[in-house]
């Protein structure tokens, strides 16, 4: 802050608020000390209001674009299915579309073998798509997602690997997770 103050001795911060919900700030930095007037404060408030609306509109637009892309990808997949495309081709199209639309670096489609209590890889897409053999369902994020009926999230997979939570997985899967 000391360095910032040396260059900008006066600042004004206005909240970004939409629908009563705080979403950020606009910081205005001035290279000279100044006495802010009510007009300055009102102008900053008007700016922050417009920025809040612009951010919200951009977020809505991004969501619309994403939903449209997803709908188009699903339409293409359904077209491939109804056109009699081979199953492996359709599965690959699914993971390719998921990767593109959801912005994932890698996508893997798994099938649960309930008898063996393991997941088998049906299709993969990604720059580093490494062949992964079947792996135990028990204790995995995939198993939690199935059990909960909703997505499961791992914020830091490297921490999970460091904690050795996948010690019961085959060595090839452990190597793939370790990267």
């Amino acid at each position: 802050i000391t360095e910032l103050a040396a260059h900008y001795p006066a600042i004004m911060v206005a909240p970004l608020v939409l629908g009563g919900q705080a979403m950020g700030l606009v910081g205005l930095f001035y290279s000279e000390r100044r006495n802010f007037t009510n007009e300055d404060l009102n102008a900053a408030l008007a700016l922050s209001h417009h920025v809040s609306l612009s951010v919200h509109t951009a977020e809505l637009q991004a969501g619309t674009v994403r939903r449209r892309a997803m709908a188009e990808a699903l339409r293409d997949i359904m077209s491939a299915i109804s056109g009699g495309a081979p199953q492996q081709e359709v599965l690959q199209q699914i993971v390719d579309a998921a990767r593109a639309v959801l912005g994932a670096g890698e996508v893997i489609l798994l099938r649960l073998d309930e008898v063996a209590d393991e997941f088998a890889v049906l299709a993969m897409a990604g720059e580093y798509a490494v062949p992964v053999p079947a792996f135990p369902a028990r204790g995995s994020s995939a198993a939690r997602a199935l059990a909960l009926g909703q997505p499961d999230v791992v914020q830091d997979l490297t921490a999970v690997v460091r904690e050795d939570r996948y010690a019961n997985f085959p060595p090839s899967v452990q190597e793939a997770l370790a990267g």
Side-chain angles (χ1 to χ4, degrees), residues 1-115:
I1 282 206
T2 304
E3 187 175 328
L4 185 64
H7 295 288
Y8 302 104
I11 67 167
M12 182 185 327
V13 181
L16 298 178
V17 178
L18 188 65
Q21 186 95 348
M23 52 190 291
L25 298 167
V26 173
L28 306 166
F29 299 82
Y30 297 89
S31 58
E32 295 180 12
R33 291 181 185 168
R34 63 184 290 165
N35 293 321
F36 293 102
T37 65
N38 281 338
E39 186 177 327
D40 293 330
L41 298 175
N42 289 332
L45 193 57
L47 171 70
S48 71
H49 179 70
H50 287 291
V51 170
S52 297
L53 289 173
S54 296
V55 168
H56 181 66
T57 301
E59 288 172 348
L60 289 175
Q61 177 64 25
T64 300
V65 168
R66 187 176 187 180
R67 284 188 298 279
R68 182 178 302 124
M70 180 65 79
E72 289 172 2
L74 292 172
R75 182 199 64 223
D76 292 345
I77 291 166
M78 291 307 295
S79 177
I81 291 170
S82 64
Q87 181 183 12
Q88 194 57 46
E89 185 179 311
V90 172
L91 295 176
Q92 192 60 48
Q93 190 174 354
I94 291 168
V95 293
D96 290 341
R99 184 171 181 249
V101 173
L102 300 175
E106 308 287 328
V107 175
I108 187 169
L109 185 57
L110 304 171
R111 173 80 180 205
L112 175 63
D113 179 340
E114 292 183 47
V115 174

